[in-house]
Amino acid sequence: MVTSKSYRVKIDEDTYSVADPVITGLQLLDTAGKRPSDEYLIFYLLSGGQLEEIRLDETVDLRQQGVERFITWRSDRSFRFVIDGRRFEWGVPLITGLKLKQLAGVDPQTYGVWLEVRGGEDRPVENTEMVDLNAEGVERFFTGKKTTTEG
């Protein structure tokens, strides 16, 4: 007797049911209607909050417990950066200070984020500020508790 089981995936903000427990990046993009698929990037949201780019021909095993989550971007390249020593990948060249804090897993109200400037003074990044990841090399960020001085 063959039973038909479906697996749930969340792609961007929508949830889908798929029959195949091992699915390719291309199949995930097709499921979400992201066409032409070669113009999109798809990232697997890992349990620690990091993103891992999935190639079109690469497979993902959906048999883990829970709903597997994916994020897509219409883009032709990904961008790498480091926060607090952990490497992240991102699908577009801009990212906000708030998103950096969320990816680092810190409280946005009590923590700040800084862009490491080699040979210069590290630069604070505000929550609404957009940081351009297009610069040569890997951007490095770090977080820390905000300090205030009463005046």
Side-chain angles (χ1 to χ4, degrees), residues 76-137:
D76 65 346
R77 69 185 61 102
S78 62
F79 301 85
R80 289 192 175 127
F81 57 90
V82 174
I83 306 173
D84 295 338
R86 293 172 45 211
R87 189 171 85 177
F88 288 83
E89 295 182 72
W90 198 244
V92 289
L94 298 174
I95 190 167
T96 64
L98 178 60
K99 182 50 79 176
L100 288 165
K101 291 177 188 180
Q102 291 169 340
L103 291 170
V106 299
D107 177 16
Q109 300 304 315
T110 57
Y111 278 77
V113 64
W114 288 263
L115 173 63
E116 187 178 296
V117 179
R118 294 192 191 274
E121 190 172 325
D122 298 331
R123 187 173 67 75
V125 179
E126 298 301 321
N127 283 347
T128 57
E129 183 181 346
M130 299 292 267
V131 178
D132 189 348
L133 302 173
N134 266 318
E136 189 173 318

Side-chain angles (χ1 to χ4, degrees), residues 11 18 20 22-32 56 58-59:
I11 304 172
V18 295
D20 195 346
V22 179
I23 192 168
T24 66
L26 177 60
Q27 289 171 308
L28 287 163
L29 289 169
D30 282 346
T31 298
L56 294 180
E58 186 175 358
T59 59

